[in-house]
Amino acid sequence: MRVLVVEDNRELALSVKKGLEQENISVDLAYDGELGEEKAFVTPYDGILLDLNLPKKDGLAVLQSLRDSAVESPVIIITARDEIEERAKGLDFGADDYLVKPFELLELKARLRAVIRRYHGRALPQIAIGALIVDPVCRKVSYQKKEILLKPKEFDILLCIAQRHPAVVSSEEISEHVYDEDFDPFSSVLRVHLARLKKKLAEGAEKEVLKTIRAKGYQLCD
């Protein structure tokens, strides 16, 4: 999961980033509306946390611009307690949820998972693909109820592919959603993680679970 936090309070933004990264969520930061809008146009984030009172361009204007340009990333508005009218406008402009300051990180993570789940058209947290079960909340994977142990990035890659099943997911799309903006797309890191993931899934299921589609990407088998 890769998230953009658009918040001019640097202490709060860094605190949110630290908390989400402890859950293996990649986080990019923007401290003003113009930069946040630019990053949201360039990268297909899994979720955007958007403050309303931002320098250079306010949050409602950013949100309206994104939706007018068909940017569909789920957006959670971060508001002060007395900004009820702005909060309502944000929902009308296309926000998926809102969170009132001060908030607990536990609630933020739960709301993020919920809006992302709805964005991918799922009602339940767990993703079932045949006998393969991927649980984003517990960060566990099993095949025919037998747990398959994965390292954090291996799980993130699997979740990215599972959320888009039955589509073929390209390496570029995986790297955009699993790594932050400091990731070097020309490194071999993703290939190594994918090779280890494929091996662990095949060993746990005693069959090929993750296929490589030549020149296209990766796809999970039912």
Side-chain angles (χ1 to χ4, degrees):
M1 191 187 302
R2 185 173 175 185
V3 171
L4 173 64
V5 178
V6 190
E7 168 62 64
D8 64 322
N9 183 324
R10 294 186 178 233
E11 184 178 353
L12 174 59
L14 290 169
S15 175
V16 169
K17 177 179 173 70
K18 181 180 179 181
L20 293 180
E21 286 180 340
Q22 289 175 347
E23 299 294 320
N24 296 294
I25 298 172
S26 297
V27 180
D28 296 338
L29 297 179
Y31 299 118
D32 64 70
E34 287 185 356
L35 181 58
E37 181 181 59
E38 179 183 329
K39 289 188 175 187
F41 277 135
V42 172
T43 303
Y45 288 101
D46 295 292
I48 298 173
L49 305 179
L50 181 63
D51 188 23
L52 290 182
N53 294 316
L54 293 167
K56 296 189 177 180
K57 190 168 187 176
D58 72 79
L60 285 177
V62 171
L63 175 62
Q64 190 167 23
S65 175
L66 295 179
R67 294 309 190 223
D68 287 347
S69 302
V71 174
E72 297 181 347
S73 298
V75 174
I76 297 178
I77 288 177
I78 303 172
T79 74
R81 191 170 298 277
D82 59 350
E83 294 175 329
I84 297 175
E85 185 176 342
E86 288 79 6
R87 197 185 312 161
K89 285 181 181 177
L91 293 171
D92 287 339
F93 284 175
D96 299 87
D97 201 351
Y98 68 87
L99 201 56
V100 177
K101 299 178 184 177
F103 53 81
E104 295 292 332
L105 190 61
L106 183 65
E107 181 181 9
L108 169 59
K109 290 185 287 189
R111 287 180 180 270
L112 261 177
R113 287 193 295 265
V115 297
I116 292 169
R117 191 164 64 241
R118 291 198 296 270
Y119 176 66
H120 289 291
R122 293 184 291 110
L124 300 175
Q126 291 185 341
I127 303 172
I129 301 170
L132 179 71
I133 303 295
V134 182
D135 189 330
V137 179
C138 299
R139 293 183 63 83
K140 290 185 177 182
V141 179
S142 64
Y143 190 88
Q144 292 183 343
K145 299 184 179 180
K146 177 185 175 183
E147 186 173 359
I148 299 173
L149 299 177
L150 300 179
K151 291 186 176 180
K153 278 302 175 197
E154 295 165 356
F155 180 88
D156 294 340
I157 292 168
L158 175 60
L159 178 60
C160 177
I161 299 170
Q163 285 176 328
R164 291 152 183 80
H165 180 78
V168 177
V169 187
S170 69
S171 297
E172 291 77 13
E173 187 175 2
I174 295 170
S175 63
E176 284 177 342
H177 288 273
V178 171
Y179 303 101
D180 63 22
E181 58 193 343
D182 296 323
F183 176 70
D184 179 3
F186 299 105
S187 74
S188 61
V189 172
L190 177 58
R191 290 196 301 273
V192 171
H193 284 151
L194 277 162
R196 291 175 178 169
L197 172 61
K198 289 183 67 176
K199 182 180 179 182
K200 289 180 180 180
L201 291 174
E203 290 175 348
E206 299 181 352
K207 57 175 283 189
E208 184 181 40
V209 175
L210 181 59
K211 298 187 296 184
T212 301
I213 310 299
R214 187 174 179 83
K216 292 185 178 181
Y218 303 87
Q219 184 182 43
L220 287 164
C221 308
D222 288 324

